[in-house]
Amino acid sequence: MAIATSYNVTSVQGAREDLSDQLKRVSPETTPVFSTLGQSRSPKALLSEWMVDSLGEPVFATPPVDGADLCFNAGFSDEISSRVRMGNRIQQVQRPFAVSRLAEKIDVAGPQSNLYGASAAKALILLKTDIESAICSSQLPQTGTDSVGDKLGGLKHWTDPDATTGVFDTPAKQAFVSVDGSRFNMQGAGAMTESDLRTLVQSVYEAGGKSVGYTLFAGPAVINEITDFSRASGAVTATGAAFNVDSGDATLRLSVTTWVSDYGRIDVVPTLFAGRSSGVAINADVRHSGLLIPKDDTVSLKTMEGVTTIELPDVGGGGRRGFAEWMGTVCVLNARALGSII
């Protein structure tokens, strides 16, 4: 006996579809570094520069003899010669999009039936992830030509203690690189202990002499290691500390969002864009990345033009086109005040 069932009544026979007006993005889009870094003066050229200087070491072992005259040549010093000009290139970041004239008239599912508006909104989100990845990358600065664009030097480059190229391409500039001990190679050394992180922060403190508080923007593997500092397996040892857990509400909290060190408070913020290479998905470099940034004006963004969306005229008749854009760079006044994990 022939019978109509849910299996043979298809769209050909008129079965309707049930497609709700919902659209969920399934990729990470939070950009904590770009969202929290302060803004400094807007640049007026493609190379944004600033001056750095060092104080040298204290000298007190040879006090002057009372009444003795200074030697006219040897008794004075040039306190300006230690200054060095540092800088970073302005990079242009773009995300173009286009929608045909006919596609704009089609009724589609989703919270935004306007495909051009939806494309512009998505391009802005993608642009933020591009900017975040660029400023947190190990990318070296690049001077643009008629065939390649300018590139900014990323924070992973600025925090490299062994850097001899890019920003630090002269011996004078190399005197201002991040100090030894300010970078921990988690992939090379394996697990990061509390002692390793404390040594990193100590190195940064000894280089800068400030206890201003820091933010550690870190990938999942780094976050997990820091959280393990509070677990019994990693904390209660012969030389470790004991932790009392208040579980009166039957809730066990093991997440570490703030680590108070001897050299300042460190807020731990997870990110999935530090150490991200262009066009590369989340990998070990991302998971094991960390950037320790002081909470002052040491690191800031210089924006020539804010995040904008520009619509182009439909000249050829193919449809509306536009692009989201940002022009700017990252300014690091003192690389020796930063730490990193790779």
Side-chain angles (χ1 to χ4, degrees):
M1 179 181 65
I3 183 173
T5 69
S6 59
Y7 307 110
N8 58 30
V9 179
T10 66
S11 59
V12 175
Q13 287 78 37
R16 294 183 182 273
E17 296 176 340
D18 180 20
L19 180 59
S20 64
D21 285 330
Q22 294 175 297
L23 177 65
K24 181 65 176 178
R25 296 188 181 93
V26 297
S27 299
E29 59 183 72
T30 304
T31 54
V33 179
F34 178 66
S35 301
T36 58
L37 284 181
Q39 294 279 350
S40 52
R41 184 183 62 85
S42 176
K44 304 299 181 183
L46 295 181
L47 175 62
S48 183
E49 296 181 287
W50 52 90
M51 302 292 294
V52 295
D53 195 8
S54 63
L55 295 177
E57 304 302 334
V59 176
F60 56 87
T62 55
V65 177
D66 184 36
D69 292 331
L70 291 169
C71 177
F72 190 76
N73 291 322
F76 298 87
S77 60
D78 181 0
E79 299 294 354
I80 305 301
S81 60
S82 57
R83 292 184 179 182
V84 175
R85 180 183 294 191
M86 306 290 288
N88 207 353
R89 304 296 301 183
I90 301 295
Q91 180 166 341
Q92 203 171 3
V93 185
Q94 286 183 348
R95 276 283 181 166
F97 55 91
V99 178
S100 72
R101 295 170 60 242
L102 185 58
E104 282 202 81
K105 300 181 183 302
I106 297 175
D107 186 18
V108 297
Q112 289 180 302
S113 59
N114 182 335
L115 292 183
Y116 184 85
S119 298
K122 182 177 179 179
L124 287 170
I125 295 174
L126 290 170
L127 185 76
K128 287 181 61 180
T129 64
D130 294 341
I131 299 169
E132 180 91 348
S133 300
I135 63 180
C136 295
S137 70
S138 56
Q139 173 178 279
L140 272 63
Q142 171 181 283
T143 302
T145 66
D146 57 357
S147 59
V148 297
D150 287 84
K151 288 183 179 180
L152 60 83
L155 288 173
K156 278 296 183 68
H157 169 57
W158 279 94
T159 56
D160 184 0
D162 301 317
T164 57
T165 58
V167 173
F168 305 100
D169 57 354
T170 66
K173 294 178 180 179
Q174 290 162 19
F176 295 91
V177 297
S178 296
V179 295
D180 291 337
S182 66
R183 169 167 286 187
F184 180 75
N185 189 335
M186 189 172 170
Q187 296 188 67
M192 182 181 67
T193 65
E194 188 269 340
S195 177
D196 294 325
L197 183 56
R198 187 174 66 247
T199 298
L200 187 154
V201 179
Q202 178 183 335
S203 299
V204 172
Y205 170 74
E206 290 179 356
K210 293 182 179 180
S211 181
V212 296
Y214 301 87
T215 302
L216 177 62
F217 300 96
V222 179
I223 295 291
N224 291 342
E225 290 292 334
I226 295 176
T227 299
D228 279 346
F229 296 169
S230 69
R231 297 176 186 268
S233 60
V236 182
T237 64
T239 59
F243 291 83
N244 295 321
V245 178
D246 183 5
S247 56
D249 58 354
T251 301
L252 181 62
R253 298 175 179 87
L254 292 175
S255 175
V256 176
T257 58
T258 301
W259 187 64
V260 181
S261 74
D262 295 328
Y263 312 104
R265 176 191 177 105
I266 300 174
D267 292 327
V268 183
V269 178
T271 180
L272 290 171
F273 295 103
R276 197 86 168 257
S277 299
S278 180
V280 177
I282 297 173
N283 55 18
D285 291 339
V286 177
R287 297 185 182 98
H288 293 83
S289 286
L291 290 166
L292 185 70
I293 300 178
K295 293 184 176 182
D296 56 11
D297 62 350
T298 297
V299 180
S300 61
L301 294 177
K302 284 179 170 286
T303 301
M304 184 172 285
E305 182 176 348
V307 175
T308 57
T309 303
I310 299 176
E311 182 176 351
L312 303 175
D314 183 7
V315 177
R320 286 203 288 172
R321 295 169 172 81
F323 59 91
E325 183 180 57
W326 177 80
M327 305 175 189
T329 191
V330 59
C331 170
V332 181
L333 298 180
N334 181 13
R336 296 193 294 187
L338 276 62
S340 60
I341 302 169
I342 60 174

mmCIF file of all heavy atoms in Angstrom, residues 175-201:
data_model
loop_
_atom_site.group_PDB
_atom_site.id
_atom_site.type_symbol
_atom_site.label_atom_id
_atom_site.label_comp_id
_atom_site.label_asym_id
_atom_site.label_seq_id
_atom_site.Cartn_x
_atom_site.Cartn_y
_atom_site.Cartn_z
ATOM 1 N N ALA A 175 70.894 48.415 22.957
ATOM 2 C CA ALA A 175 71.091 48.672 24.382
ATOM 3 C C ALA A 175 69.765 48.802 25.120
ATOM 4 O O ALA A 175 69.745 48.819 26.354
ATOM 5 C CB ALA A 175 71.914 49.941 24.572
ATOM 6 N N PHE A 176 68.662 48.876 24.383
ATOM 7 C CA PHE A 176 67.351 49.073 24.995
ATOM 8 C C PHE A 176 66.423 47.878 24.771
ATOM 9 O O PHE A 176 65.208 48.004 24.939
ATOM 10 C CB PHE A 176 66.707 50.343 24.448
ATOM 11 C CG PHE A 176 67.459 51.598 24.811
ATOM 12 C CD1 PHE A 176 68.438 52.098 23.967
ATOM 13 C CD2 PHE A 176 67.208 52.256 25.995
ATOM 14 C CE1 PHE A 176 69.146 53.240 24.290
ATOM 15 C CE2 PHE A 176 67.907 53.408 26.335
ATOM 16 C CZ PHE A 176 68.883 53.902 25.483
ATOM 17 N N VAL A 177 66.975 46.713 24.400
ATOM 18 C CA VAL A 177 66.138 45.528 24.232
ATOM 19 C C VAL A 177 65.680 45.010 25.594
ATOM 20 O O VAL A 177 66.214 45.385 26.639
ATOM 21 C CB VAL A 177 66.891 44.411 23.476
ATOM 22 C CG1 VAL A 177 67.254 44.844 22.072
ATOM 23 C CG2 VAL A 177 68.121 43.978 24.252
ATOM 24 N N SER A 178 64.698 44.119 25.567
ATOM 25 C CA SER A 178 64.249 43.476 26.802
ATOM 26 C C SER A 178 65.418 42.730 27.442
ATOM 27 O O SER A 178 66.299 42.208 26.761
ATOM 28 C CB SER A 178 63.111 42.504 26.502
ATOM 29 O OG SER A 178 61.974 43.184 26.017
ATOM 30 N N VAL A 179 65.427 42.659 28.749
ATOM 31 C CA VAL A 179 66.571 42.113 29.469
ATOM 32 C C VAL A 179 66.512 40.594 29.517
ATOM 33 O O VAL A 179 65.454 39.977 29.335
ATOM 34 C CB VAL A 179 66.621 42.673 30.914
ATOM 35 C CG1 VAL A 179 66.855 44.164 30.886
ATOM 36 C CG2 VAL A 179 65.329 42.342 31.661
ATOM 37 N N ASP A 180 67.666 39.985 29.755
ATOM 38 C CA ASP A 180 67.724 38.541 29.953
ATOM 39 C C ASP A 180 66.852 38.149 31.144
ATOM 40 O O ASP A 180 66.863 38.814 32.177
ATOM 41 C CB ASP A 180 69.162 38.096 30.202
ATOM 42 C CG ASP A 180 70.041 38.234 28.970
ATOM 43 O OD1 ASP A 180 69.475 38.247 27.858
ATOM 44 O OD2 ASP A 180 71.274 38.336 29.114
ATOM 45 N N GLY A 181 66.141 37.071 30.994
ATOM 46 C CA GLY A 181 65.259 36.600 32.061
ATOM 47 C C GLY A 181 63.839 37.086 31.929
ATOM 48 O O GLY A 181 62.945 36.605 32.623
ATOM 49 N N SER A 182 63.588 38.052 31.015
ATOM 50 C CA SER A 182 62.235 38.592 30.861
ATOM 51 C C SER A 182 61.384 37.764 29.913
ATOM 52 O O SER A 182 60.203 38.055 29.728
ATOM 53 C CB SER A 182 62.301 40.035 30.343
ATOM 54 O OG SER A 182 62.836 40.071 29.032
ATOM 55 N N ARG A 183 61.980 36.750 29.287
ATOM 56 C CA ARG A 183 61.233 35.873 28.388
ATOM 57 C C ARG A 183 61.398 34.432 28.826
ATOM 58 O O ARG A 183 62.517 33.959 29.039
ATOM 59 C CB ARG A 183 61.692 36.042 26.942
ATOM 60 C CG ARG A 183 61.161 34.972 25.977
ATOM 61 C CD ARG A 183 61.366 35.343 24.533
ATOM 62 N NE ARG A 183 60.430 36.381 24.106
ATOM 63 C CZ ARG A 183 60.294 36.797 22.847
ATOM 64 N NH1 ARG A 183 61.052 36.272 21.896
ATOM 65 N NH2 ARG A 183 59.424 37.734 22.533
ATOM 66 N N PHE A 184 60.269 33.720 28.960
ATOM 67 C CA PHE A 184 60.301 32.305 29.316
ATOM 68 C C PHE A 184 59.825 31.483 28.134
ATOM 69 O O PHE A 184 58.751 31.728 27.587
ATOM 70 C CB PHE A 184 59.413 32.018 30.531
ATOM 71 C CG PHE A 184 59.410 30.562 30.928
ATOM 72 C CD1 PHE A 184 60.493 30.008 31.590
ATOM 73 C CD2 PHE A 184 58.323 29.753 30.624
ATOM 74 C CE1 PHE A 184 60.495 28.670 31.947
ATOM 75 C CE2 PHE A 184 58.316 28.418 30.982
ATOM 76 C CZ PHE A 184 59.407 27.872 31.640
ATOM 77 N N ASN A 185 60.657 30.519 27.733
ATOM 78 C CA ASN A 185 60.321 29.649 26.609
ATOM 79 C C ASN A 185 59.585 28.423 27.141
ATOM 80 O O ASN A 185 60.196 27.426 27.530
ATOM 81 C CB ASN A 185 61.585 29.238 25.854
ATOM 82 C CG ASN A 185 61.274 28.515 24.546
ATOM 83 O OD1 ASN A 185 60.215 27.914 24.396
ATOM 84 N ND2 ASN A 185 62.189 28.587 23.607
ATOM 85 N N MET A 186 58.277 28.511 27.118
ATOM 86 C CA MET A 186 57.460 27.438 27.684
ATOM 87 C C MET A 186 57.484 26.194 26.803
ATOM 88 O O MET A 186 57.445 25.065 27.298
ATOM 89 C CB MET A 186 56.026 27.941 27.862
ATOM 90 C CG MET A 186 55.127 27.015 28.633
ATOM 91 S SD MET A 186 53.560 27.840 28.976
ATOM 92 C CE MET A 186 52.612 26.457 29.592
ATOM 93 N N GLN A 187 57.557 26.393 25.491
ATOM 94 C CA GLN A 187 57.587 25.247 24.593
ATOM 95 C C GLN A 187 58.922 24.514 24.664
ATOM 96 O O GLN A 187 58.986 23.299 24.502
ATOM 97 C CB GLN A 187 57.312 25.690 23.160
ATOM 98 C CG GLN A 187 55.923 26.270 22.963
ATOM 99 C CD GLN A 187 55.602 26.530 21.514
ATOM 100 O OE1 GLN A 187 55.473 25.622 20.712
ATOM 101 N NE2 GLN A 187 55.463 27.814 21.160
ATOM 102 N N GLY A 188 59.991 25.270 24.931
ATOM 103 C CA GLY A 188 61.295 24.641 25.017
ATOM 104 C C GLY A 188 61.587 24.040 26.378
ATOM 105 O O GLY A 188 62.204 22.979 26.487
ATOM 106 N N ALA A 189 61.107 24.718 27.441
ATOM 107 C CA ALA A 189 61.415 24.272 28.800
ATOM 108 C C ALA A 189 60.339 23.377 29.399
ATOM 109 O O ALA A 189 60.531 22.808 30.467
ATOM 110 C CB ALA A 189 61.624 25.483 29.709
ATOM 111 N N GLY A 190 59.217 23.267 28.722
ATOM 112 C CA GLY A 190 58.136 22.461 29.275
ATOM 113 C C GLY A 190 57.241 23.281 30.189
ATOM 114 O O GLY A 190 56.959 24.443 29.907
ATOM 115 N N ALA A 191 56.803 22.690 31.286
ATOM 116 C CA ALA A 191 55.880 23.365 32.194
ATOM 117 C C ALA A 191 56.513 24.610 32.803
ATOM 118 O O ALA A 191 57.713 24.671 33.038
ATOM 119 C CB ALA A 191 55.436 22.400 33.293
ATOM 120 N N MET A 192 55.684 25.619 33.035
ATOM 121 C CA MET A 192 56.122 26.852 33.682
ATOM 122 C C MET A 192 55.711 26.807 35.144
ATOM 123 O O MET A 192 54.525 26.696 35.463
ATOM 124 C CB MET A 192 55.505 28.072 32.998
ATOM 125 C CG MET A 192 55.953 29.398 33.603
ATOM 126 S SD MET A 192 55.197 30.821 32.801
ATOM 127 C CE MET A 192 53.469 30.603 33.279
ATOM 128 N N THR A 193 56.678 26.875 36.023
ATOM 129 C CA THR A 193 56.388 26.841 37.451
ATOM 130 C C THR A 193 56.178 28.252 37.986
ATOM 131 O O THR A 193 56.462 29.247 37.308
ATOM 132 C CB THR A 193 57.537 26.173 38.222
ATOM 133 O OG1 THR A 193 58.719 26.994 38.110
ATOM 134 C CG2 THR A 193 57.821 24.791 37.664
ATOM 135 N N GLU A 194 55.703 28.317 39.220
ATOM 136 C CA GLU A 194 55.544 29.623 39.878
ATOM 137 C C GLU A 194 56.884 30.328 40.004
ATOM 138 O O GLU A 194 56.971 31.547 39.880
ATOM 139 C CB GLU A 194 54.898 29.415 41.250
ATOM 140 C CG GLU A 194 54.494 30.690 41.957
ATOM 141 C CD GLU A 194 55.591 31.239 42.853
ATOM 142 O OE1 GLU A 194 56.480 30.444 43.211
ATOM 143 O OE2 GLU A 194 55.572 32.447 43.169
ATOM 144 N N SER A 195 57.945 29.569 40.213
ATOM 145 C CA SER A 195 59.273 30.151 40.308
ATOM 146 C C SER A 195 59.706 30.763 38.982
ATOM 147 O O SER A 195 60.351 31.817 38.950
ATOM 148 C CB SER A 195 60.278 29.076 40.745
ATOM 149 O OG SER A 195 61.594 29.592 40.779
ATOM 150 N N ASP A 196 59.354 30.128 37.873
ATOM 151 C CA ASP A 196 59.700 30.655 36.553
ATOM 152 C C ASP A 196 59.019 32.000 36.306
ATOM 153 O O ASP A 196 59.647 32.949 35.824
ATOM 154 C CB ASP A 196 59.291 29.662 35.464
ATOM 155 C CG ASP A 196 60.073 28.369 35.514
ATOM 156 O OD1 ASP A 196 61.275 28.420 35.860
ATOM 157 O OD2 ASP A 196 59.493 27.315 35.209
ATOM 158 N N LEU A 197 57.741 32.075 36.638
ATOM 159 C CA LEU A 197 57.024 33.333 36.434
ATOM 160 C C LEU A 197 57.544 34.408 37.378
ATOM 161 O O LEU A 197 57.663 35.573 36.988
ATOM 162 C CB LEU A 197 55.526 33.114 36.642
ATOM 163 C CG LEU A 197 54.626 34.335 36.392
ATOM 164 C CD1 LEU A 197 54.828 34.891 34.995
ATOM 165 C CD2 LEU A 197 53.155 33.971 36.621
ATOM 166 N N ARG A 198 57.862 34.040 38.611
ATOM 167 C CA ARG A 198 58.392 35.013 39.553
ATOM 168 C C ARG A 198 59.737 35.558 39.079
ATOM 169 O O ARG A 198 60.018 36.754 39.200
ATOM 170 C CB ARG A 198 58.542 34.367 40.932
ATOM 171 C CG ARG A 198 58.937 35.367 42.026
ATOM 172 C CD ARG A 198 58.929 34.733 43.411
ATOM 173 N NE ARG A 198 59.952 33.708 43.567
ATOM 174 C CZ ARG A 198 59.711 32.422 43.719
ATOM 175 N NH1 ARG A 198 58.467 31.973 43.728
ATOM 176 N NH2 ARG A 198 60.703 31.559 43.876
ATOM 177 N N THR A 199 60.573 34.692 38.502
ATOM 178 C CA THR A 199 61.860 35.133 37.965
ATOM 179 C C THR A 199 61.680 36.090 36.800
ATOM 180 O O THR A 199 62.395 37.082 36.673
ATOM 181 C CB THR A 199 62.679 33.913 37.507
ATOM 182 O OG1 THR A 199 62.937 33.069 38.625
ATOM 183 C CG2 THR A 199 64.007 34.350 36.909
ATOM 184 N N LEU A 200 60.681 35.809 35.960
ATOM 185 C CA LEU A 200 60.389 36.697 34.824
ATOM 186 C C LEU A 200 59.995 38.085 35.322
ATOM 187 O O LEU A 200 60.516 39.104 34.849
ATOM 188 C CB LEU A 200 59.276 36.082 33.972
ATOM 189 C CG LEU A 200 58.913 36.750 32.648
ATOM 190 C CD1 LEU A 200 58.310 35.709 31.701
ATOM 191 C CD2 LEU A 200 57.903 37.889 32.829
ATOM 192 N N VAL A 201 59.076 38.125 36.283
ATOM 193 C CA VAL A 201 58.608 39.419 36.804
ATOM 194 C C VAL A 201 59.745 40.140 37.524
ATOM 195 O O VAL A 201 59.879 41.376 37.435
ATOM 196 C CB VAL A 201 57.408 39.219 37.737
ATOM 197 C CG1 VAL A 201 56.939 40.554 38.304
ATOM 198 C CG2 VAL A 201 56.270 38.540 36.996
#
